[in-house]
Amino acid sequence: MWSNEKIEKQREYFKEQRTTKMGKFTEFTVRTYYCIYKSCALNNKQYCLGSDASSYKINKIIYEGFYGGVPDHDNKNVIDDCKKKLKEMGYIKFKKENNVWLIYVIKNLDFLLPGEHEFYIEKFGIEHEIQFF
């Protein structure tokens, strides 16, 4: 995980990107987070199987409305990079249990603009929000 200073700098960058409606990577990161969040919420847990949020499975959701739905780059690496950023910033973590990779959602994104969390909850059809302990 990154230092608090580096996390804060990245959080401010993402927040600025949300404010100016710039930065596809920031949007891809948010969508990646909510794909993972939805997989966890479907199980009423704070974690999901890593395979439930694999880059292959969430690809169409991440790129909806961009590039005509067909990315012009190596989309798997972009989604993996989004997951890495989310992990380094402390929003998710990966843990291997019984030879199965799990993804834990640790906290809500705190760089979203007012109302965006609710927007994504509705957009992704998330019926139960995750309770953080």
Side-chain angles (χ1 to χ4, degrees), residues 5 33 87:
E5 182 179 322
Y33 173 86
K87 177 184 168 243

Side-chain angles (χ1 to χ4, degrees), residues 28-133:
F28 297 154
T29 302
V30 170
R31 291 180 182 194
T32 298
Y33 173 86
Y34 279 99
C35 284
I36 295 167
Y37 188 107
K38 180 176 183 174
S39 292
C40 296
L42 286 172
N43 298 318
N44 287 327
K45 299 194 185 312
Q46 201 174 344
Y47 65 89
C48 67
L49 296 173
S51 60
D52 288 344
S54 71
S55 299
Y56 174 77
K57 283 189 176 179
I58 66 176
N59 178 52
K60 281 187 176 181
I61 298 164
I62 304 304
Y63 285 95
E64 179 186 319
F66 294 100
Y67 311 111
V70 181
D72 63 351
H73 55 273
D74 185 358
N75 55 325
K76 182 190 178 309
N77 283 338
V78 171
I79 295 169
D80 289 345
D81 199 29
C82 292
K83 289 177 183 176
K84 183 179 177 185
K85 280 258 193 282
L86 290 166
K87 177 184 168 243
E88 290 168 338
M89 294 177 73
Y91 296 110
I92 64 172
K93 76 175 181 177
F94 298 91
K95 187 174 181 184
K96 194 170 188 177
E97 293 182 14
N98 300 320
N99 290 327
V100 176
W101 280 102
L102 303 174
I103 304 175
Y104 285 79
V105 175
I106 306 303
K107 63 182 181 176
N108 284 325
L109 299 179
D110 53 8
F111 57 82
L112 297 176
L113 300 176
E116 282 191 310
H117 174 73
E118 294 77 14
F119 169 80
Y120 284 99
I121 291 293
E122 185 176 324
K123 177 180 175 71
F124 283 78
I126 298 168
E127 295 180 17
H128 306 287
E129 291 197 46
I130 295 173
Q131 300 300 312
F132 298 105
F133 303 101

